[in-house]
Amino acid sequence: MMAASLLRRDKRSTAAHLKADLQRADNSSGLRQLRELLDAVLDPERGSDPDPEGLDWCKWLLAGGDAFDEFCRTVRSYDNATLCGLVWTANFVAYRCRTCGISPCMSLCAECFNNSDHTGHDFNMFRSQAGGACDCGDGNVMKESGFCSRHRLKTGENVPSVPWDLLLMSEMVLPRFIITIIQYLRDGYTEPESAADRDLQRVLQQLEPHISFLEELTKMGGAMRTVLTKILTNQQTFKELSMGQEENVYAKRNYEKYLSALKSSGLVSVEEKGAGGAGAGTATDTSAGALSLLGATAAASLEDSSKEEDQDGLQGVGQRKRVKLSSSTKDPSIMDTLKHKCFLEELLFWTIKYEFPQKMVTFLLNMLPDQDYKITFTKTFVQHYAFIMKTLMKSHESDTMSNRIVHISVQLFSNEELARHVTEECHLLDIMVTVLLYMMESCLIKSELQDEENNRHVVVNCGEALLKNNTYWPLVSDFINILSHQSVAKRFLEDRSLLLLWMSFVSYFQGMNLNKRELNEHVEFESQTYYAAFAAELEACAQPMWGLLTHCKVKETQEYTKTVVRYCLETLQMWFDAIGFVDEPSLNQLTFHLPLHRYYAMFLSKGVKCQGLDLDSLLPDQEMLMKIMVHPLQIQASLSEIHSNMWVRNGLQIKGQAMTYVQSHFCNSMIDPDIYLLQVCASRLDPDYFISSVFERFKVVDLLTMASQHQNAVLDSEQERPMLEGALTFLVILSSLRIHLGMSDDEILRAEMVSQLCMNDRTHSSLLDLIPENPNPKSGVVPGSCSFEEMLSAVADFKAPVFEPGGSMQQGMYTPKAEVWEKEFDPIMVILRTVYRRDVQSAMDRYTAFLKQSGVNTGNPWPPYKERTPLHPCYRGLARLLHCKTLHIVIFTLLYKIWMDHQNMSEHVLCMVLYLIELGLDNQVQDDKVEEEPCIEEHCHDSWFPGTSLLSNLHHVINFVRVRVPETAPEVERKRERERERETPPSTSSESAAFGQNLREAQVFSLVAERRRKFQEIINRSNHEASQAVRPKSSSSRWLPPGSPPQLVTEILEIRESMLSLLVKLHQKLSAKQNSLSLSWLAEVDPAHHAHGDGLTAIERILAKAATRSRHSKRCLQDICGKVCPPVPPKKNSPGDKKSMDKEERRQRARERQQKLLAEFASRQKSFMETAMDVESPETDAVMDMGSTELLDSEVLYDCVICGQSGPSTEDRPTGLVVLLQASSVLGHRCRSDMPKRLPTTDEEHIYPEDTCGATNDVRLSLMQRYFKDSSCLQSVSVGWDGGVYVQTCGHTLHIDCHKSYMESLRNDQVLQGFSVDKGEFTCPLCRQFANSVLPCRPGRGMETGAWHTPSNKSLSTLVKEVEDLQEQLGIFPVSASVKQRDPILAESNLSKEMESVIKDIKNTTQKKYMDYGKNPGSPDNDFLFMYSVARTNLELELVHRGGDLCSGGASAAAKRSCLNQLFHVLAMHMRLYSIDSAYNPWTRLTQTTHSREPEFCDDERPEVPMLFRDVPSLLIIFILTMPQPLRKEHFTCVVKVLYSLQFTQALAALSIRFSREERLAWSNTGAAKKNTPNSDKSWESLLGHVISELTKAKDVYDTNSEEAFVLSSSVWSPQSIEFTLQQFCLPFLRLSCLLQHHLYGDSLPGCQVEEEFSLLTGCLSLTGSVQSSGSMSSAACLDWNFNAFDLISQWCSEVIALSNTPSQQSVSLLVQDPQWSAPRLLHLPDNYNTIFQFYHRKSCTSCGKSPKDPALCLVCGAFVCLKGHCCKQQGVCECVLHSQHCGAATSIFLLVNASVIIIIRGHRFCLWGSVYLDAHGEEDRDLRRGKPLYLCEERYRVLEQQWVSHTFDHINKRWGPHYNGL
């Protein structure tokens, strides 16, 4: 066969040969050869696995003889695409710019975003959830101004056209390649039933390279995409290849598999359908039957179906579980027919079957920049839509699948052109609505609302997975997306049948998640279904509603609104019928979900507000309104019940529902429409009916009686008050809220903003989140739109974030301006918007604080009354609520009850009552002319008030009221007393005439009866008044449980009050003064004065308004004030007056009780202390008796913070300082330069750690160890730059035995602390500062005073000798007087034991590697080095904390907390266990020339370290620590002087090396000349000359790097610069000495200027006889030689010269040591966070090469580590923890790149520190959720650095947790 011969040849030549053949005019042989070759290479029968060889052949064939990479490059050069189209998957970081976007879904990849200019735009970075594609270059989705520089040019025009032969092979080969993939997919697919494990993943993995290859092709650009599109959409090729040729058995079998897959999916291919004959009928009986029932609407066939038929279909809702919509009119093909005509369609089919594998999705999306492909693919996608939904419902991985579906659909449907095209051509809307309906039908249940048995309504079951897991989300989100296009939304609103379908869909959610109040025991299992219910209503009902509303903004769209409103009402009517609703809601049932009501409300509101519709034309009849109002009102009453704890047995979840209902994301789709609907009902229904309904729903009818006692059959007495408050508050909200009644959008935004700011100061982002905005992103109030910012700056002031170094990190906050508090604070709005009740209180507290601050002093201000915007004319009727008799009777009754102190009244009740009166006065009903003269009152026996106007009713006097009271009530008692006084027989017949008349006049009031009457009236529509003789009995007895103890009797109360008189009396009561309102007050009333204040002000304001608006009221007021007399106190037995009488008295008594208690407590405490002291401190008493008081004076007394005693520290009972030991590498990170290193943000930048202090010292030590004796090396340097132990204290002391018992108690305390007691951690018992050890205090005096201080006049040489003697004797530690042994080890007192244990703690603090520097670890020398380095570390750190020098003097925070004195003594005691071998004692080599020891040692023994190489401060510390304590000050000074001369000589040597050869010669001559002058040993010229001449003897010291030296000193050295250099070299040593002297001897440290520091320090250390003025200060003048200077120097130099065997390079580097380091700094960070993020978030990890999931940066050294990755773990420890150990000795500061947050690791704990990057509003953006641009906040970064340097992380950050080595 020909193919076989071709296969044998190499691929490249074959490809070239075939390409040549195919280019000929007659290419048939070429075609044949190619086909055979491909048959052989791409043979799917070969085996189950796709063959990589085949893929390779394809690559060579496409390239046609070139290399494949070459071919790719060539094709790319013809790329004509103008779109970016980069496709990304989940978790990719992309950008969205709202300024440039046309569609809200617009997104850009980082590259396009950074290449375009978006400064000043409203953009954010986001982490993609479902994946997406870059829209750059697509003018349909974004404005062109936002395109990046690459896609702005229309690249298409200037690209050369593609040569025809370039892609010739591709067109031939690729179809075969694609069918191969499809055949594999067909083969590999198994139905879920057949294979238990469904190995789909395996099939996909094998196909991975093939699909990746396709993806690669799409990336070659436009030319290749065009070829692919041609192939994918060509129907002919598909036909030929898909079914297979006749002879190909495999292909036939394969095609069968495809058909069976179609069938098992419940789909029919079209041919089969024709063959089946019966069409859909056959399908109905199969398993897929249910699908075809639903069918779908083809728009055309629907127009003719009559409307009734549709309604029948809907009325059938609920009889069966599955709902069959009248399928006669629907075309069932939507659900169950698929016909694949091209590769693309079948590829999509398999993509769905395999549940959207990521690779396939990316391939299909990568093709989208091709326009032809885009259109075909969108149609294909729509055609498969129903199938997608079915697969989604079956899928186990529905989450991933949802994301992938949306990933595709959002690319297709965001484009308005495309969406409209598909809507017209493919019935997209029909498909979507049908599919959604079908989806919800799978989980319907019978509704139990209202009539549980006969309810015919069905609702979705919120417990089903479909709702619980939000599986419907992708479909709903697509629907919302297409409704955002105006053209599509209009089609939807015009299509009656679609609207009807949609209404039936919405009705599935009406009344879902029904709650039934538990009355007996607590519910066992709290269902959490409410999350699903609220999410479903918001996403599936509300968001599409908002989408439709955005297109109903103008008059032209009136018809749409009318239609929707009509359908809403019809559907509502059906719903009422289905649930069997008559007129009363069923008790104890509550659903928060009424989407139909809300659709109706929102369209009403929109119609009136924007489209100029007349409200009445949209409203139904009164009866329907009464029905509509019931359920929303039920919700309002239930909210009150929930807050009154009446639903407590239903568990916490019911509170959760109540909160969600008002929460900012839901309120404008839930509570706002509900309240609006109630306002509409209230404005159109009879006000008396409405008011009485409200009180009945709130169950407080029984409370509204004049009697002091009553029975309430439905409420417990403790629930009455909150329910009454709830009812009144609701009425206030109802009559004062104007959100839908005439406020403009800006006013609404302002009111929302003010109410949120009044509750609390808010950050910008939380405010954006809390302001309810239309959920549809295309709506008017886009978050971040300019109106939001403008409004914010109008109402609020920005409070920039504050930084207290020790405090919490605050964010930038907005706080209301003063005038907002004054004029705009609206408590009603606040109550409506608060999720938690405490927020209302918080707002009131802030308001009170504001008033106090601005000097309006009112004791306890009441919520201020706010004037309202006028009502829209349509809603004028709402004001009638405030002018109806029923409300006035309630107000009157409540005023009376409050005045009489009846139970269950509260300040809040009064406040709301007054608010209602005031609203009534401000909202007069227009049509009533207010009668000035009182009407004749004889005719109104039955009614309380003459008219309905509040103004005239205010002054109407009510004389008698008939009430029903229990027999036991005080009213009955009083009547009996009266009767006894009259001595008339108690028979009612012979009552006096007057009394009988009262009876006729007495008012009766029954809310329930009133409501029933009105209801009848409305229903009957009868004009004649229904009988008014209502029996009051019926109402009260209706609630009575049979056989309840006290019987009700009717009583008549004499009242003789009007509302005005009650108000005046309440004013007296509140002010506790009689005649508190004088007549004169009335004369000068002005309501404007009384804006803020308490209850008195409120009453005064109301009276003033009444007086100014009606002459009659004013007259009545004058009468009342004129004859006011105190209210007659009722008899003592009423509980109320007792209250008011005794209040003062009770307070007085309480005060006395408190005083008595306190006195008693104090005396007890005193006696306890006395006894306790007696028991515990006998020895102090004994001392006192001996009268040796002077002993005590000199001793330091310590207070123990645990037992509270104070006393000295003794051997047996030592006291200790609470300390925190921590390992620290801060010193090691110091650098030479003052500038911090920069964090690298490009590949070119790097950080070099070699120049840090730690690195330099390590190099130095290892160099020494190479050439010198180990024990000597270990005394010539300090370690502890890295991993040194830092000791800090809070300054509190405690007895060590007390501490031990304290630790015991902590260990037994099971409460989980933030620290680990087993590691010895605790918090100081007094100040709660974190600590982990106790440092024993030495007995005896504090500072060395007295004798030790006297300055001596001994000569230096005597002192030198004394020091030498002191070093000879092994330091005797002052052990207790009784034990006088020389050896401290024998005297094991408690004190020395404690000291040992502290040393152990110190060693355990740092890691092993930081202690072993010697050749043999654990040797005494090694220990010795570690110990004196601890002292050095603490001294150096204190210097750093003081700012690096001692110019600031003694006043430093660090000094107060310093424990160096105690630390020194502990270290000294430990170090004295090692004696220094006198032969090697460096002291002798410092103070005399040694001739005895010739350098004639054996070869193996290395020399000692030369003096000039030694570290002088280390020597100082060694001397001080090894000499017996306490040391006399003269000896200390002597040591410093001797060491200073060494330091000075080292400075000269280091300087001489920096000279050029000529300079050296010149200076050595000058020096030689001066040598013989007197005092030549105090002149640096002579000494320098001497050093140069001595060192010249050593070979190579000066020759090595002379060239470099030249470069170093291009400038010439002047005497001044030399002097300056020498001083700088010696300063660090002087600073340390001075600090040490300060701590050992208590010398003060005076402050000074920086220039004077040198002279000041030398003066303090008495190096100079007298302190000279700084100008003439010379460093050499401070020298004090006890021996011939030149000889000593020669000896020191000779030690260097003797090292002839070491390479000169090293000895030079050891000589040139520079002791100066600048302060430790964290890295310098870039200003914009994006710089860091873009560079690091995709960067691959250095150790594992992957890009980490949680990348982190060390801010100390810039290392890039994985935070939690398992990839880089070593021995179970995460990379970041490992890094913290070797970079910061277990303290590290990491910046989490993906979260912008700083995390601190300290030992075994970690804490989130906060962020140093804030946005423009001063806020953190943790986890980059908002994605706004972030900028470095310098103050915060400084605070972080300061905490790092001062080691205070443990004290300042409180929330620590263990990281278990892994975070």
Side-chain angles (χ1 to χ4, degrees), residues 957-973:
V957 178
I958 305 234
N959 295 316
F960 296 99
V961 176
R962 185 184 316 182
V963 292
R964 314 258 313 156
V965 290
E967 286 175 320
T968 52
E971 285 87 350
V972 184
E973 300 288 316

Side-chain angles (χ1 to χ4, degrees), residues 1848-1862:
T1848 47
F1849 285 133
D1850 294 284
H1851 312 320
I1852 290 172
N1853 304 304
K1854 295 291 178 259
R1855 289 190 293 279
W1856 290 93
H1859 55 60
Y1860 305 120
N1861 292 334

Side-chain angles (χ1 to χ4, degrees), residues 852-868:
K852 272 212 186 85
Q853 202 181 339
S854 53
V856 182
N857 200 6
T858 52
N860 178 17
W862 279 25
Y865 172 80
K866 185 169 179 284
E867 302 273 334
R868 301 286 153 186

Side-chain angles (χ1 to χ4, degrees), residues 1263 1266-1267 1509 1600 1702-1712:
L1263 249 182
R1266 202 184 304 167
Y1267 302 114
F1509 291 178
T1600 49
T1702 65
S1704 52
Q1705 201 81 44
Q1706 269 81 351
S1707 55
V1708 171
S1709 67
L1710 286 175
L1711 262 183
V1712 189

Side-chain angles (χ1 to χ4, degrees), residues 98 122 749 764 768 779-791:
R98 288 183 196 77
D122 175 20
L749 177 63
H764 187 271
L768 260 180
S779 68
V781 189
V782 181
S785 70
C786 53
S787 59
F788 182 90
E789 298 300 335
E790 284 162 20
M791 192 64 74

Side-chain angles (χ1 to χ4, degrees), residues 100 224 328 375 609 753 786 832 1314 1715:
C100 300
M224 184 54 96
S328 55
I375 292 170
K609 185 172 176 177
M753 208 176 266
C786 53
L832 180 73

Side-chain angles (χ1 to χ4, degrees), residues 503-514:
M503 281 302 156
S504 60
F505 173 75
V506 174
S507 72
Y508 289 159
F509 298 90
Q510 176 93 350
M512 64 178 159
N513 197 35
L514 184 66

Side-chain angles (χ1 to χ4, degrees), residues 191 256-269 272 286-288 291 349 353:
E191 274 306 311
E256 296 296 308
K257 279 194 172 168
Y258 157 64
L259 289 178
S260 80
L262 264 182
K263 209 183 220 124
S264 63
S265 313
L267 301 164
V268 196
S269 114
E272 222 175 288
T286 64
S287 64
L291 304 180
F349 171 75
K353 266 297 197 197

